[in-house]
Amino acid sequence: MAMVCPQCSGAYDQRLNCPKCSVRLDYQVVRARKDSGELESPSQWQQTPWGRILVGLLLAQGLYYGLRQLLTAGLLASGDEAAPDVWKTLLGLVLGQGIQAFGLLIGGVMTGAGQRRGFAYGAVVGIWNGILFVALNYRNAPLAEPVAMYGLPLLQMAFGAVGGYIGGAIWKPLPSLGAFLPRGDVVLSSGGRKRVSPFSGPIAWGRVALGTTLAVGGTLWATVILDFVLQAAEGKLTIESHLQAQLVTWEITALAMLAGAAFSGAATINPVKQGLCMGLAAASILIGLRFGSPKFSMNVHIFTFANAVALGLVGGWFGGQVFPPSCGARIKSVGPLTA
């Protein structure tokens, strides 16, 4: 693995800092020119974020259609004449979703390998994979329901994000030198390395308040948002039953909770703590508003509290990963660390 100095352009192996310039080396694959012998960096589009996303998307699509054709050929070889129509049945839909999930996991792993935000790259792969699948199969009757058509990219985004996280966890990126640690509780692990608690540090009450407003507003106005979307669609989107309407309303509520928690945890040194505070505040407000209602149900409100806290933790972590704190915010939080 060649590490190249951005100042003197010297190439070194098994080093993180340049011995001449004392600056951080960059990872580049270099080659020597035939005429002058100087080192140059070839263009490697597959190492860029969009190149990795494209490779992961092609891999996920290729695995899905390849495995689907392989299973269809196996059914035809077994003498089943109805093999081409098996994908329109309930079993075929479930099997197809499983194949897509497997392809997205592999594509996400390849996309997120060696990347600091591998889960975000994998999530983008999942979104585009879902959009392509919906665009290519919009005439298929079992997938014509609005909930299935528009919920599929969100579901595949989750599988892609999991694959990207697995890839980044197995093939870890190069360590970042000179990173600032937040002031707070520092715990020494068994290996002797300092580990910062995710619940240490101050609380950004302004972000938590705005995130709570977004989450509570989206929850209370979920029905109004659904009606607005249906009216704006001018009949192209329809809700066939009360169960579908309730399901879509729950999805809007979950998205509002995730968006509020992500906003609370973005650009902070302890995003998980910010998301937890947002979840607790949103759950308290929602339960308080509905406490005096004649339809008050303890089971429903326990479910609301648990979901708000869980989505707050996940959304806060996601916001902190997508929008990490700036260098200035980290410098303000630096304090002397003692072993």
Side-chain angles (χ1 to χ4, degrees), residues 133-221:
F133 184 78
V134 169
L136 295 175
N137 297 273
Y138 72 98
R139 296 181 182 274
N140 195 359
L143 291 175
E145 297 294 336
V147 174
M149 294 284 285
Y150 294 94
L152 189 61
L154 297 177
L155 181 62
Q156 296 197 6
M157 178 188 70
F159 282 103
V162 171
Y165 178 79
I166 294 174
I170 296 177
W171 292 279
K172 297 182 181 298
L174 293 176
S176 178
L177 298 181
F180 295 102
L181 293 177
R183 177 178 298 170
D185 301 330
V186 179
V187 182
L188 290 178
S189 62
S190 59
R193 296 180 297 178
K194 294 182 177 63
R195 180 168 52 88
V196 182
S197 172
F199 297 99
S200 62
I203 299 176
W205 291 109
R207 285 187 170 273
V208 171
L210 292 177
T212 303
T213 303
L214 178 61
V216 174
T219 301
L220 296 178
W221 290 73

Side-chain angles (χ1 to χ4, degrees), residues 156-318:
Q156 296 197 6
M157 178 188 70
F159 282 103
V162 171
Y165 178 79
I166 294 174
I170 296 177
W171 292 279
K172 297 182 181 298
L174 293 176
S176 178
L177 298 181
F180 295 102
L181 293 177
R183 177 178 298 170
D185 301 330
V186 179
V187 182
L188 290 178
S189 62
S190 59
R193 296 180 297 178
K194 294 182 177 63
R195 180 168 52 88
V196 182
S197 172
F199 297 99
S200 62
I203 299 176
W205 291 109
R207 285 187 170 273
V208 171
L210 292 177
T212 303
T213 303
L214 178 61
V216 174
T219 301
L220 296 178
W221 290 73
T223 304
V224 178
I225 295 173
L226 177 59
D227 293 338
F228 175 78
V229 171
L230 293 178
Q231 291 178 4
E234 298 180 351
K236 296 181 180 179
L237 293 177
T238 58
I239 298 296
E240 301 295 338
S241 63
H242 176 71
L243 181 61
Q244 287 187 3
Q246 191 175 17
L247 178 61
V248 176
T249 302
W250 286 349
E251 291 178 351
I252 295 174
T253 300
L255 289 176
M257 287 287 181
L258 288 174
F263 180 83
S264 300
T268 59
I269 61 174
N270 48 0
V272 177
K273 185 177 182 179
Q274 311 297 325
L276 175 62
C277 294
M278 193 287 310
L280 292 174
S284 301
I285 293 175
L286 291 175
I287 294 176
L289 291 175
R290 299 170 181 173
F291 186 77
S293 175
K295 299 181 179 179
F296 181 83
S297 176
M298 183 59 67
N299 294 332
V300 173
H301 287 80
I302 292 176
F303 180 75
T304 301
F305 180 84
N307 278 338
V309 173
L311 292 174
L313 290 172
V314 174
W317 172 80
F318 182 79

Side-chain angles (χ1 to χ4, degrees), residues 16-17 24 116 174-183 186 194 196 269 324-335 337:
L16 292 177
N17 293 330
R24 175 68 184 273
R116 300 189 182 279
L174 293 176
S176 178
L177 298 181
F180 295 102
L181 293 177
R183 177 178 298 170
V186 179
K194 294 182 177 63
V196 182
I269 61 174
S326 61
C327 183
R330 291 184 177 224
I331 292 177
K332 293 180 181 179
S333 65
V334 169
L337 298 177

